[in-house]
């Protein structure tokens, strides 16, 4: 495991707690921890700081349909105030992180949204609690209503 990642499992509760250090990509770090502990389905929460946040937000078009905004990237570091996510499998059965978070930037602006994979490097630290789900399969499949891949639970 990358020496900029610390993680330990509490055997009694099966929870994994740890932190990601400077320059680790947030999503890649969570996936590395999951691989280390053979986790394929989990919920997690975290706090910490990012060099910048890259995310999208939900928009509603004039006809009422829902879409995601264009990608937004902050121009300052951010402090994650609250964040929760899931780890499951994508359509090719690779680990995937789905994370929503709220943050404050260096201009004291509050914002948040659906964060994007590979585009959120840690500034100082991100501390997390990972709750593995046993005997659960979470995998993206195309949703019948929206036509987009979303987690299905089995």
């Amino acid at each position: 495991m990358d020496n900029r990642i610390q993680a330990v499992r509490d055997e009694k509760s099966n929870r994994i707690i740890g932190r990601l250090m400077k320059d680790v990509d947030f999503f890649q770090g969570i996936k590395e921890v999951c691989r280390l502990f053979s986790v394929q389905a989990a919920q997690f929460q975290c706090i910490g700081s990012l060099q910048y946040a890259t995310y999208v937000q939900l928009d509603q078009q004039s006809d009422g349909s829902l879409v995601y905004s264009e990608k937004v990237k902050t121009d300052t570091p951010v402090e994650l105030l609250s964040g929760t996510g899931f780890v499951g499998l994508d359509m090719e059965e690779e680990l995937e992180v789905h994370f929503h978070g709220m943050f404050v930037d260096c201009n004291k602006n509050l914002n948040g949204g659906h964060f994007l994979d590979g585009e959120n490097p840690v500034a100082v630290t991100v501390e997390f609690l990972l709750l593995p789900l046993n005997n659960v399969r979470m995998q993206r499949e195309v949703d019948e209503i929206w036509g987009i891949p979303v987690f299905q639970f089995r």
Side-chain angles (χ1 to χ4, degrees):
M1 181 163 59
D2 185 324
N3 65 358
R4 296 169 301 156
I5 300 173
Q6 295 176 345
V8 295
R9 181 193 312 248
D10 173 3
E11 295 298 330
K12 185 174 181 180
S13 69
N14 196 36
R15 294 177 181 164
I16 300 165
I17 192 165
R19 75 181 186 114
L20 309 175
M21 296 177 218
K22 183 176 178 4
D23 296 329
V24 171
D25 177 76
F26 176 39
F27 283 28
Q28 297 307 313
I30 294 293
K31 288 189 251 186
E32 188 167 333
V33 170
C34 287
R35 284 190 284 273
L36 176 69
F37 292 100
S38 300
V39 172
Q40 291 191 338
Q43 188 269 329
F44 70 96
Q45 55 193 44
C46 65
I47 57 172
S49 60
L50 301 172
Q51 294 173 25
Y52 52 85
T54 309
Y55 59 98
V56 294
Q57 295 176 323
L58 202 57
D59 280 337
Q60 188 171 30
Q61 298 188 333
S62 59
D63 67 358
S65 62
L66 300 174
V67 297
Y68 275 117
S69 68
E70 294 294 319
K71 177 169 65 172
V72 178
K73 180 179 172 184
T74 64
D75 58 4
T76 74
V78 303
E79 190 77 22
L80 287 171
L81 302 174
S82 177
T84 191
F86 289 99
V87 177
L89 301 175
D90 66 16
M91 294 179 72
E92 287 77 42
E93 300 202 6
E94 297 294 326
L95 285 175
E96 181 172 341
V97 173
H98 183 194
F99 176 79
H100 291 209
M102 186 172 69
F103 61 85
V104 60
D105 66 19
C106 291
N107 299 314
K108 313 304 183 243
N109 296 313
L110 289 173
N111 217 323
H114 171 104
F115 284 57
L116 301 177
D117 192 0
E119 302 186 55
N120 294 283
V122 174
V124 177
T125 188
V126 168
E127 299 158 343
F128 62 86
L129 178 64
L130 184 73
L131 308 161
L133 301 168
N134 299 315
N135 304 315
V136 171
R137 183 164 180 85
M138 283 176 40
Q139 185 169 10
R140 293 234 185 229
E141 294 176 14
V142 175
D143 180 80
E144 295 174 10
I145 297 170
W146 297 101
I148 59 172
V150 297
F151 279 133
Q152 303 292 319
F153 302 88
R154 295 182 174 78

